[in-house]
Amino acid sequence: DQRFSAQRTGGWVMNCTEGTRTELQGFQSLFARAMLFMDAPDHTRLRSLINAGFRADALERIRPAMERWIDARLDAVDLRTGFDFMAQIARPLPAYVIASLMGMEEVDQAPFLIWSDDLASFIGAPQPTPEQARRAQTSLLAMARRFDELIAIKRSQPDEGLISRLAQAQERGEIQSGAELLAQCAMLLFA
């Protein structure tokens, strides 16, 4: 069907054919479950679960790792060959902080940065194209698969990270498994 129609995806409107709309159902079902796009009482419930991961004790827990991370990057700087602060420190630091709060310090974060860039391209577009939506879907679903693996690991080896906290909340019935749990993890890292 080549008719174009406006479609809401999360909070974004894009023009797409009926075929594209069907193709993006996986993205929509996961993306729409993120706390950002939910109203009370679901938003409030999810926000209270996630806020626990940002308490002062959680931030103090990751402080030594942050200091080591920054020190290692600054020690590696060779001012004679140039230094791109944005690329070497400013861009990866927030992702490393969130990943650490989530309990992902030992996880290869490079794929998550690529996936986040695809999501940012979609979210940052005034009217996303179907191609931006396809890339965002591919990346969001890849991120969700990786988070699904990490959640299983954190269930068997819990720690103080936010993924473990959310997995425990799911076991207590405070968060739904599947799309709701995965969407919170993906949106936290993307944020």
Side-chain angles (χ1 to χ4, degrees):
D1 187 349
Q2 293 302 312
R3 293 173 301 149
F4 279 83
S5 61
Q7 171 183 319
R8 286 197 62 79
T9 305
W12 288 264
V13 176
M14 67 179 192
N15 289 324
C16 64
T17 65
E18 291 297 320
T20 303
R21 184 177 310 158
T22 300
E23 177 187 349
L24 298 174
Q25 284 180 338
F27 175 74
Q28 292 171 312
S29 65
L30 185 57
F31 201 68
R33 297 301 301 158
M35 175 185 69
L36 300 172
F37 308 116
M38 300 178 95
D39 294 325
D42 290 324
H43 178 88
T44 306
R45 171 180 54 84
L46 294 169
R47 189 182 68 224
S48 68
L49 293 171
I50 290 168
N51 279 347
F54 291 90
R55 293 188 332 238
D57 62 324
L59 296 172
E60 282 302 315
R61 177 183 60 79
I62 67 165
R63 179 193 297 260
M66 297 303 100
E67 290 172 352
R68 286 190 304 276
W69 188 91
I70 292 170
D71 288 345
R73 268 127 195 100
L74 292 175
D75 289 345
V77 170
D78 183 353
L79 294 178
R80 295 171 293 168
T81 60
F83 173 60
D84 184 345
F85 179 79
M86 293 302 292
Q88 292 176 284
I89 306 246
R91 169 78 170 97
L93 179 60
Y96 186 72
V97 170
I98 292 294
S100 296
L101 284 170
M102 293 179 76
M104 297 173 50
E105 299 93 333
E106 305 303 320
V107 174
D108 178 13
Q109 295 166 21
F112 287 97
L113 291 174
I114 294 166
W115 297 329
S116 291
D117 286 345
D118 288 342
L119 288 170
S121 175
F122 172 77
I123 290 172
Q127 190 166 2
T129 66
E131 182 54 35
Q132 287 171 311
R134 284 184 194 101
R135 280 194 317 271
Q137 173 174 264
T138 298
S139 291
L140 183 61
L141 296 177
M143 189 184 289
R145 281 189 300 275
R146 184 64 179 114
F147 275 122
D148 206 25
E149 295 167 4
L150 291 171
I151 290 166
I153 292 168
K154 298 297 183 177
R155 278 195 179 110
S156 64
Q157 302 167 7
D159 58 25
E160 293 299 314
L162 198 46
I163 294 173
S164 285
R165 290 174 187 261
L166 291 174
Q168 292 164 4
Q170 184 270 320
E171 289 173 359
R172 292 189 305 268
E174 297 170 349
I175 188 170
Q176 296 172 12
S177 61
E180 187 172 79
L181 178 57
L182 294 171
Q184 304 332 302
C185 291
M187 287 299 110
L188 276 166
L189 189 60
F190 166 74

